Amino acid sequence: MRAVRQNDKYGALVRKAAVRGGIAVLALVAVMPGCSASGRGTDVLPAPGQQPLKAPAAPALDSYAARLGADHDALVAAADRWGLGRVPLLPPPPPAHKPRITVRAGFEVRDQEELDLPPVFTTIPTRQKVVFLTLDDGAEKDPGFLRMMSDLRIPYTAFLTDESAGDDYGYFRRMRSQGVTLDNHTLHHPYLPGLSYEEQRDEICGMQDVMEKQFGKRPTVFRPPYGNYDRDTLLAARSCGIKYAPIWSEEVFADHWEYREDDRNLHPGDIVLSHFQDPAEWNGTMTQMVRRFLNRVTRDGFAVARLEDYL
């Protein structure tokens, strides 16, 4: 596509800069097509794909430049192969000091702070232009989706239910081997406020047991099905070792977006929801969903970051 071909010109410049020395690469990165600085003069910082990179010590400049050029060429090729309009922006390094995560105003339950219940939130407090991709359930196990996300180096988080994921946990072990975090979405995806405290606890703690058995670790992050919860949900989640209960700001499908906020815009730190969904039920494939997601966030100057790096 045209935007990707424009970035091929950048790749050629990077390779030329590798011969002359890595310092030139830093200047070129700052003017990469499709990555012009945004938010300058505001309180929103641009994604790192829009900023100069810090070079290593002088003796390593040539190899650094060559490596940077090769990495960029591979990403340009992957973006072209998967039909993207632009090369995705790279996320910043994980924050040295994690932001303080609090419950979203209006999403509290009684005694939220006094009982130190897991906060329910839709956005991470950050000034960086990053968003977070999360996928729920685990019904569709598309190998093309794994290849696409690996090729493009896009971080994301999976919230699994045993009911949907349980017929092939090997698929999610392959996902985990690519650096993806797997979190709790209950055993059977029920409407939790309709259950008793003990029934809710069985759903959440039961999935903790499954996750430990299948992946060797009990998550500390939990998403209530449908984004519905009550005080008992958060009490039960806390008793099962849960520290955070993120929901979402936007939801992306293969053919459209849905928004929580009236402005229908992306914001720094927004959590985006999607699903491991059968194409027959979704009017499109998971790779089509990723293409729609990445084209939108990249066009708007956002990078995709890893949610757990901010928790």
Side-chain angles (χ1 to χ4, degrees):
M1 299 182 74
R2 185 173 64 180
V4 172
R5 287 196 296 271
Q6 288 174 342
N7 277 328
D8 287 341
K9 297 178 182 178
Y10 167 79
L13 291 173
V14 169
R15 288 189 294 272
K16 185 176 181 180
V19 176
R20 295 180 177 178
I23 294 176
V25 176
L26 304 181
L28 289 167
V29 170
V31 298
M32 171 181 169
C35 298
S36 59
S38 62
R40 194 168 294 170
T42 74
D43 62 351
V44 177
L45 300 181
Q50 303 161 284
Q51 303 175 67
L53 301 180
K54 183 178 179 181
L61 283 174
D62 288 343
S63 61
Y64 171 79
R67 186 171 67 252
L68 180 62
D71 286 349
H72 182 264
D73 287 350
L75 197 55
V76 168
D80 194 27
R81 184 163 58 251
W82 290 105
L84 301 185
R86 303 183 185 195
V87 177
L89 299 175
L90 299 177
H97 302 285
K98 302 291 182 72
R100 180 172 178 264
I101 307 298
T102 59
V103 63
R104 175 172 170 154
F107 286 54
E108 310 92 337
V109 299
R110 180 168 50 88
D111 301 323
Q112 175 87 43
E113 292 187 6
E114 291 82 355
L115 296 174
D116 193 26
L117 298 178
V120 177
F121 54 99
T122 62
T123 300
I124 294 289
T126 178
R127 296 171 59 223
Q128 294 279 0
K129 289 193 71 174
V130 296
V131 296
F132 306 93
L133 179 62
T134 63
L135 292 96
D136 283 4
D137 303 340
E140 179 67 14
K141 302 167 183 68
D142 179 4
F145 168 78
L146 291 184
R147 290 194 299 272
M148 183 179 192
M149 300 304 271
S150 177
D151 285 354
L152 295 169
R153 309 171 199 170
I154 303 300
Y156 60 101
T157 298
F159 289 88
L160 304 182
T161 67
D162 186 56
E163 181 177 69
S164 295
D167 61 340
D168 186 6
Y169 276 118
Y171 176 85
F172 298 99
R173 280 190 280 273
R174 291 193 294 277
M175 185 179 293
R176 186 188 58 172
S177 73
Q178 296 177 1
V180 176
T181 301
L182 308 177
D183 285 325
N184 187 328
H185 198 41
T186 72
L187 287 170
H188 304 103
H189 205 274
Y191 174 71
L192 289 172
L195 304 181
S196 68
Y197 168 81
E198 288 299 334
E199 289 170 329
Q200 293 196 51
R201 192 175 187 279
D202 287 346
E203 282 287 337
I204 300 168
C205 288
M207 192 60 188
Q208 292 287 80
D209 295 339
V210 170
M211 299 291 281
E212 184 175 33
K213 177 181 178 181
Q214 294 294 334
F215 308 115
K217 185 177 180 180
R218 299 174 76 83
T220 59
V221 183
F222 157 73
R223 172 172 284 162
Y226 315 107
N228 293 131
Y229 61 95
D230 60 14
R231 184 172 181 267
D232 281 349
T233 307
L234 301 184
L235 284 167
R238 187 193 63 177
S239 76
C240 301
I242 297 298
K243 296 181 179 179
Y244 303 99
I247 47 178
W248 59 90
S249 290
E250 294 87 24
E251 184 171 3
V252 61
F253 299 82
D255 60 351
H256 72 283
W257 284 72
E258 293 181 0
Y259 304 85
R260 187 179 297 275
E261 311 300 341
D262 291 338
D263 65 7
R264 300 176 65 83
N265 286 325
L266 295 173
H267 313 91
D270 275 358
I271 299 170
V272 181
L273 166 68
S274 195
H275 289 81
F276 295 94
Q277 190 65 58
D278 188 317
E281 299 178 15
W282 207 20
N283 199 30
T285 65
M286 291 186 67
T287 55
Q288 288 172 325
M289 176 276 293
V290 174
R291 188 177 302 117
R292 177 174 291 274
F293 169 76
L294 289 176
N295 281 338
R296 167 68 191 280
V297 301
T298 307
R299 183 197 73 197
D300 289 358
F302 287 84
V304 185
R306 182 177 179 268
L307 178 63
E308 288 72 19
D309 286 342
Y310 289 73
L311 300 180

